[in-house]
Amino acid sequence: MRRCCVVLPAYCEARPLATLLPALFAQQARLADCELWALVVDDGSPDGTALVVEELIAAHPRLRLLEGAKRGLGDAYQRGFAHARASLAPELLVQMDADWQHDPAALPELIAACRPPVDIVIGSRFAPGGATPAFSARRRATSRLGSRLLHEWAGLPRLADYTSGFRCLRAELAWQLVERCRQDGLARRGYAFQSSLIAEALLGGAQVIEIPIVFGARRHGQSKLGAGDYWEFARNLGRLRRRARAQLPAQ
Ligand SMILES: Nc1nc2c(ncn2[C@@H]2O[C@H](COP(=O)(O)OP(=O)(O)OP(=O)(O)O)[C@@H](O)[C@H]2O)c(=O)[nH]1
Ligand SMILES: [Mg+2]
């Protein structure tokens, strides 16, 4: 039986989490060889996110809550990964949003695909069959542009969706990737953490595959993606380009 910990960073996601977490644990019935755990990383949300999670823990003993200071999405993930390692030592980690845009019904497929030789399975919004029905044309174009720049300008391997937040990773590799991002000075604090992690994986020769997902509408609350995150991504592009040039054979 493999142990899988779904890490959900959540800032002011009390309402969506109240229904998302039970729906997530309902997927256990479809996972024969995998023990599903969930870790919510809340950064002192003023809307009572932590209270909602604490109440749900009574009904879901494999649910955990980690609280800390708000320093960005990547920072929350790094704390979540480290906590999962120390307290649960799972074989697999899943990254997932807490606002229902990632459908828990896709978890069994993501998890099943993450076995040797595959190291990381990306739930991809832009692979054939994927969709972003709630996105404006501008938001869709911006997200697609990010992955194109990483390939065409920075010189990383082609992927349809570097910035997706729904992935399953071999946990041992995920912990190593966080450390390599740190050593290489790649962006880790905000949303750019997502593309830094996948870039390090590919530069290190990991097997990364994409399976299509539908990225639905946010249920309740507001987006936390801000202008600062776009700047962080742009600055990171230059670092990734230098890393890719040093590491990958000239094409
Ligand atoms: N703990 C923590 N969670 C965060 C932080 N920033 C974002 N999140 C969570 O990360 C997930 C993704 O953030 P979103 O704002 O939904 O980003 P997005 O899905 O790209 O944007 P929308 O499509 O507008 O929702 C959500 O569950 C957020 O609550 C943070 O600083 N700390
Ligand atoms: Mg969202």
Side-chain angles (χ1 to χ4, degrees):
M1 182 76 94
R2 299 193 294 174
R3 183 176 282 188
C4 173
C5 181
V6 183
V7 181
L8 302 114
Y11 190 73
C12 290
E13 310 286 11
R15 285 185 69 189
L17 275 174
T19 51
L20 179 69
L21 291 169
L24 185 157
F25 284 112
Q27 297 303 316
Q28 181 66 70
R30 298 175 57 210
L31 286 161
D33 69 340
C34 180
E35 185 185 285
L36 204 55
W37 291 72
L39 171 65
V40 176
V41 186
D42 170 54
D43 296 343
S45 303
D47 74 336
T49 293
L51 285 176
V52 166
V53 177
E54 276 162 6
E55 275 170 23
L56 286 167
I57 285 174
H60 301 284
R62 291 188 187 148
L63 176 58
R64 295 284 183 273
L65 171 67
L66 180 66
E67 296 180 87
K70 185 164 175 1
R71 286 188 294 257
L73 176 69
D75 188 87
Y77 264 128
Q78 287 167 79
R79 281 183 283 126
F81 282 11
H83 186 81
R85 180 183 205 174
S87 61
L88 300 170
E91 281 86 15
L92 297 173
L93 287 172
V94 168
Q95 297 182 263
M96 185 173 178
D97 290 356
D99 59 359
W100 265 108
Q101 284 183 292
H102 296 149
D103 185 352
L107 279 170
E109 200 191 344
L110 275 182
I111 292 169
C114 195
R115 52 180 76 251
V118 172
D119 296 303
I120 298 178
V121 182
I122 298 178
S124 176
R125 300 163 294 179
F126 305 119
T132 52
F135 268 7
S136 65
R138 186 175 163 177
R139 175 89 194 265
R140 189 175 300 125
T142 312
S143 285
R144 295 189 83 126
L145 179 66
S147 293
R148 278 188 61 185
L149 287 170
L150 287 162
H151 172 58
E152 290 172 19
W153 191 77
L156 291 164
R158 181 190 293 279
L159 272 184
D161 200 350
Y162 268 95
T163 55
S164 167
F166 200 16
R167 302 137 167 199
C168 184
L169 307 94
R170 194 162 57 73
E172 199 60 48
L173 175 67
W175 298 317
Q176 289 169 13
L177 292 175
V178 170
E179 181 53 22
R180 274 189 245 157
C181 287
R182 192 188 64 76
Q183 286 168 1
D184 289 340
L186 298 183
R188 292 177 299 143
R189 192 180 170 119
Y191 286 67
F193 171 75
Q194 304 285 32
S195 43
S196 291
L197 205 67
I198 295 297
E200 279 292 0
L202 292 167
L203 290 168
Q207 290 288 317
V208 180
I209 64 165
E210 296 182 88
I211 60 174
I213 57 156
V214 176
F215 187 74
R218 157 179 274 284
R219 287 199 199 169
H220 316 291
Q222 285 170 5
S223 176
K224 282 97 209 169
L225 185 62
D229 293 294
Y230 290 106
W231 280 113
E232 186 192 28
F233 179 87
R235 284 196 306 275
N236 204 37
L237 271 176
R239 290 176 215 148
L240 286 169
R241 182 170 147 119
R242 284 191 289 281
R243 277 285 283 119
R245 286 191 165 179
Q247 185 103 8
L248 297 173
Q251 288 157 19

